Amino acid sequence: MKNYEELEPPPDGGFHAWAQVVSGHLVVALTWGYSASFGVFQSHYENSLPESPSEISWIGGVQVFCVLFISAVSGRATDAGLAREVVAAGAVLLLLGTFMTSLATTYLQIFLAHGLCVGIGQGLMWLPSVTLISTYFVRRRVLAITAAATGTSTGGIIFPAMIQYLIPRIGFPWAVRCMGFVALAMVIVIVALLRTRLPPRKSGPLVEWGAFKEPAYMLFTLGIFILYWTLYLHSSIGIPIRAPCGYLADRYLGPLNCLIPWVLLCSILMFCWASIRTVAGLYVFAVFYGLACGAAMGLFAGTVPSLTKDISKIGTRVGMILTLISFGPLTGPSVAGVLIARNGGSYLAAQIWAGACLMGGVVALVGARVIITGLHLKVKI
């Protein structure tokens, strides 16, 4: 393996580079796309288990929490040159959890299989694939990462549709097993395509404590935490917007400059939601919010490399952010649920809370940009 000084610049294209994008797309489909299907699972669990809907919702919440929380470990392992091994281990856990879910009959069994086993497996798979893409691209980095990020919508369409279509025909156990076989086919392609480009960084701590002394990094982390904290409404509509946003970020604006307006739009749309009174208005809101939310989520991973001077630490730094924000998706829906319950079923308080928080996230992201570039608008970052 070559030293960093002997490495050629990232190829910004070619078979192996775009193979990582394809692999990353499938990984994202198996992580965030798979997680997006939990609503279909929850409907089945509510009809087959004695537990309350709020108790059942913890299965999905813990699954998403595990995906993010374990990223500090998978990120550091990626920097150590173990990306392929970590993804393979995660794939085994994901497949094991899926097939065990098809056999589970009690709440505890489902929680362990669907919530913990699948969640930990997804957490091991996701970050290494995104980090590898960053090492193969410079000029087209954000485009490549956002193209992979569209896997959220791909998986979010395929897996829920499979479960909804197959349960009435072959029953829940075999519907989940069919989903597992589709996941197995994806895993085979993923492992075949994954390829590490950088030499391993053997030394170094699990957490880079020096990053917490960088105000720009901390403000960026705060802004992303707020985005994920209020992200209790999401859809597959974000497919068409992510790749064009990546192209604009790479070619003209820079990822952080592109991310800030989308988070701002999410905030504005949350406030607008409070004034909607018709079904048609809700459909229009869902389309625009889905696009804004999809763009913001797709740009996040592509922004971190622009805040990192040492490319060998990308995995560790992204993993640290993801671990910190993992508590957002775990607690955000509960906060919104409490606000709705205390207001007699009205969504107004939750809508205002989410809109105000997102506006605070915009302020944090703008602060990070100002620290890096000063008060200069025409700086690509």
Side-chain angles (χ1 to χ4, degrees):
M1 184 72 75
K2 295 180 179 180
N3 295 323
Y4 284 99
E5 293 79 6
E6 300 172 349
L7 280 176
E8 297 178 356
D12 254 328
F15 174 78
H16 291 299
W18 290 111
Q20 307 316 303
V21 176
V22 174
S23 176
H25 183 95
L26 294 176
V27 167
V28 174
L30 283 176
T31 52
W32 294 110
Y34 189 126
S35 300
S37 68
F38 183 74
V40 180
F41 281 94
Q42 172 143 353
S43 297
H44 173 78
Y45 295 153
E46 288 178 7
N47 292 326
S48 58
L49 296 175
E51 281 73 17
S52 67
S54 61
E55 290 175 302
I56 292 171
S57 67
W58 276 99
I59 299 172
V62 168
Q63 179 187 356
V64 173
F65 171 78
C66 289
V67 174
L68 297 170
F69 185 77
I70 203 171
S71 293
V73 176
S74 61
R76 181 62 188 91
T78 301
D79 289 345
L82 300 173
R84 194 171 189 180
E85 292 82 353
V86 170
V87 170
V92 170
L93 287 175
L94 183 145
L95 293 171
L96 176 64
T98 300
F99 285 109
M100 293 307 295
T101 299
S102 72
L103 301 174
T105 55
T106 67
Y107 177 81
L108 180 59
Q109 292 172 347
I110 294 171
F111 183 89
L112 293 174
H114 194 161
L116 284 179
C117 191
V118 171
I120 293 172
Q122 290 172 326
L124 291 173
M125 292 181 70
W126 178 46
L127 182 57
S129 65
V130 176
T131 303
L132 286 184
I133 294 172
S134 298
T135 66
Y136 276 87
F137 293 88
V138 176
R139 292 183 299 106
R140 300 175 179 174
R141 178 179 290 156
V142 185
L143 173 62
I145 292 176
T146 52
T150 59
T152 301
S153 301
T154 302
I157 291 173
I158 293 173
F159 293 123
M162 281 186 65
I163 296 297
Q164 283 183 313
Y165 179 81
L166 292 176
I167 285 179
R169 290 163 175 79
I170 60 177
F172 178 77
W174 272 107
V176 176
R177 287 168 200 151
C178 289
M179 183 174 169
F181 288 125
V182 171
L184 175 60
M186 290 183 175
V187 164
I188 292 171
V189 176
I190 289 166
V191 175
L193 294 179
L194 272 181
R195 178 172 175 174
T196 302
R197 192 184 76 87
L198 297 182
R201 184 170 67 93
K202 297 296 184 182
S203 62
L206 180 65
V207 176
E208 188 197 347
W209 297 105
F212 295 123
K213 299 178 182 179
E214 300 176 17
Y217 180 85
M218 292 306 298
L219 283 173
F220 178 79
T221 301
L222 175 61
I224 298 302
F225 172 84
I226 292 173
L227 175 65
Y228 275 75
W229 194 33
T230 57
L231 206 62
Y232 53 85
L233 176 66
H234 187 45
S235 70
S236 302
I237 298 172
I239 287 179
I241 198 68
R242 290 186 171 182
C245 280
Y247 176 79
L248 287 174
D250 282 329
R251 185 69 182 271
Y252 301 107
L253 302 175
L256 184 56
N257 289 338
C258 207
L259 174 63
I260 292 171
W262 285 115
V263 179
L264 176 61
L265 182 57
C266 286
S267 174
I268 294 171
L269 287 170
M270 271 294 176
F271 288 120
C272 293
W273 184 16
S275 65
I276 296 174
R277 298 289 183 270
T278 65
V279 175
L282 283 174
Y283 278 117
V284 173
F285 164 78
V287 169
F288 280 97
Y289 186 79
L291 290 171
C293 177
M297 290 186 68
L299 286 164
F300 151 60
T303 305
V304 179
S306 66
L307 305 175
T308 305
K309 296 179 180 179
D310 187 349
I311 194 77
S312 69
K313 297 180 180 179
I314 287 180
T316 300
R317 286 202 159 207
V318 177
M320 288 163 54
I321 292 176
L322 293 173
T323 297
L324 289 172
I325 70 175
S326 63
F327 297 93
L330 185 66
T331 60
S334 299
V335 173
V338 169
L339 292 173
I340 293 169
R342 288 187 175 182
N343 286 273
S346 171
Y347 280 69
L348 181 61
Q351 291 161 339
I352 293 175
W353 165 76
C357 286
L358 284 166
M359 192 62 71
V362 172
V363 173
L365 294 173
V366 170
R369 186 193 185 281
V370 170
I371 289 172
I372 297 170
T373 67
L375 298 175
H376 303 288
L377 292 178
K378 297 180 179 181
V379 177
K380 182 180 177 181
I381 180 173

